[in-house]
């Protein structure tokens, strides 16, 4: 869940994973009580690519979100160097809670 920046986040992940945003639906034609300024936000979208598929949305403005824990992601690679590079790209500018490690 995102706080109004879902499209921006999906663009970031699409670039990293060489994936496409699919099934993009906004709040525009939905019978949901959201402000008119929020109507263009994403009620649902999917990121799909080779080996990646996840769903995301902008939570409605009255939905409480805790900054820093809206998304959890696990990524598997067959190549250790590719995995390390993706970890570096994903963690750039962010807060790292766990160092890179191979799955046991």
């Amino acid at each position: 869940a995102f706080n109004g920046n879902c499209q921006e986040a999906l663009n970031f992940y699409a670039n990293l994973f060489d994936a496409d945003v699919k099934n993009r639906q906004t709040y525009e034609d939905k019978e949901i009580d959201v402000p008119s300024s929020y109507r263009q936000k994403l009620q649902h979208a999917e990121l799909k690519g080779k080996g990646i598929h996840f769903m995301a949305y902008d939570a409605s403005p009255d939905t409480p979100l805790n900054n820093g824990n809206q998304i959890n992601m696990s990524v598997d690679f067959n190549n250790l160097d590719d995995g390390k590079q993706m970890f570096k790209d994903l963690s750039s500018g962010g807060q790292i809670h766990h160092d890179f490690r191979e799955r046991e």
Side-chain angles (χ1 to χ4, degrees):
F2 292 89
N3 193 18
N5 63 336
C6 184
Q7 185 64 60
E8 179 184 350
L10 288 175
N11 291 343
F12 172 78
Y13 293 123
N15 184 52
L16 281 179
F17 290 109
D18 192 25
D20 297 310
V21 178
K22 303 281 187 179
N23 299 325
R24 187 180 178 281
Q25 300 171 29
T26 66
Y27 286 95
E28 187 66 36
D29 296 322
K30 309 294 184 209
E31 292 185 23
I32 298 173
D33 186 23
V34 295
S36 60
S37 62
Y38 213 76
R39 291 282 172 192
Q40 292 303 313
K41 302 297 181 184
L42 295 176
Q43 186 198 28
H44 173 83
E46 297 177 49
L47 187 72
K48 291 184 178 184
K50 184 178 179 183
I52 181 108
H53 179 198
F54 69 81
M55 294 178 275
Y57 69 101
D58 285 311
S60 61
D62 61 347
T63 302
L65 293 175
N66 297 317
N67 287 333
N69 68 355
Q70 294 106 303
I71 185 169
N72 295 290
M73 183 183 302
S74 176
V75 182
D76 291 327
F77 283 89
N78 293 326
N79 178 292
L80 182 61
D81 291 334
D82 290 345
K84 286 181 179 180
Q85 183 61 49
M86 182 58 68
F87 182 84
K88 180 181 174 186
D89 293 343
L90 283 169
S91 60
S92 177
Q95 184 179 11
I96 300 170
H97 296 281
H98 298 284
D99 290 331
F100 179 86
R101 64 178 180 257
E102 289 185 71
R103 207 169 138 198
E104 300 168 358

